[in-house]
Amino acid sequence: YRQFNYPKAVEYHKNALQIAKQDGDPLLQMTTLNLLGSTSLKIDSVRNAIEYHQEVIRMFGSEDVKDHDFIREAGKAYYGLGVIYHVLRRYSMALDYYTSANEQFERISYTEGMAFGYNAAGESLEALGEYDQSQSFYDKSILVNELLGSDRLRILNATGKAHLLAHQNRTRVEEAKALIKPFLDEKASYMDQELLTLLYIQYGWVL
């Protein structure tokens, strides 16, 4: 999966889903369906990705047990749908799903989910022209990430805020560049090709 062989990952996830169904394990089914959703999006199978995440939400609604793990997977399903609709540039729908995701994550104080969910909501709000709200969500994400300590999210926060600054006011370009430049200089081992591409694209955009 981490080597970007997404078609093979989909195949393995489908096998895992069949086993989970045979075992009658709803939580494992939900977890695997979310993995299928996020991985299917990587191979541009958007319709399948939507259906996988929606199935998780349907299962969550039908389960009597609503413990931490079930709520987490429901939040991930909403988040996954938010990602899909943001990619499709249907930003209002994306924001609705991110909001639902964050509500689930907040119920269980799921730090990773909240940190990434707030950042994603900030991106959709910026795309909708709601700059003050976008800034607020980026700041919330940064605050939560002080507990999480995700290097990947630090980059997403920096590029998001830089894009917002330049979008709001071109006189703040230097401030925006200053948020991204240290990461380009660093090129740490945790940066995969996707992150490096994002950094270069956003730095070029704010120039």
Side-chain angles (χ1 to χ4, degrees), residues 122 125-139 158-176 179 202 205-206:
L125 283 162
E126 180 189 348
L128 290 167
E130 300 289 347
Y131 299 137
D132 289 342
Q133 290 187 59
S134 175
Q135 177 74 59
S136 175
F137 273 92
Y138 283 137
D139 289 342
T159 56
K161 289 197 70 172
H163 194 276
L164 177 63
L165 285 171
H167 209 163
Q168 285 179 293
N169 191 333
R170 295 302 295 178
T171 63
R172 303 186 71 178
V173 167
E174 291 303 318
E175 189 178 349
L179 288 170
Q202 294 296 349
W205 191 88
V206 301

Side-chain angles (χ1 to χ4, degrees), residues 8 33-34 66-67 73 94 116 138 160 183 191 193 202:
K8 180 63 70 175
L33 284 164
N34 273 332
K66 296 291 192 297
D67 67 7
E73 292 305 320
F116 280 90
Y138 283 137
F183 291 106
M191 295 186 194
Q193 193 64 41
Q202 294 296 349

Side-chain angles (χ1 to χ4, degrees), residues 25-110:
D25 186 336
L27 179 59
L28 183 56
Q29 289 178 54
M30 292 168 71
T31 302
T32 310
L33 284 164
N34 273 332
L35 288 170
L36 276 166
S38 58
T39 312
S40 294
L41 182 61
K42 296 290 187 180
I43 58 174
D44 296 323
S45 185
V46 175
R47 179 172 295 181
N48 286 341
I50 291 172
E51 290 176 354
Y52 287 133
H53 289 310
Q54 287 179 336
E55 180 61 22
V56 174
I57 293 169
R58 284 193 291 269
M59 290 184 67
F60 180 70
S62 65
E63 289 294 322
D64 293 331
V65 179
K66 296 291 192 297
D67 67 7
H68 179 284
D69 293 334
F70 282 87
I71 294 171
R72 181 196 65 221
E73 292 305 320
K76 287 183 176 182
Y78 284 119
Y79 180 89
L81 289 167
V83 171
I84 293 168
Y85 284 106
H86 189 94
V87 169
L88 295 175
R89 299 188 177 186
R90 297 173 67 176
Y91 301 121
S92 291
M93 286 189 68
L95 181 60
D96 287 344
Y97 281 118
Y98 287 142
T99 299
S100 295
N102 290 331
E103 287 172 354
Q104 299 299 328
F105 295 147
E106 288 165 358
R107 286 177 64 187
I108 55 173
S109 299
Y110 180 45

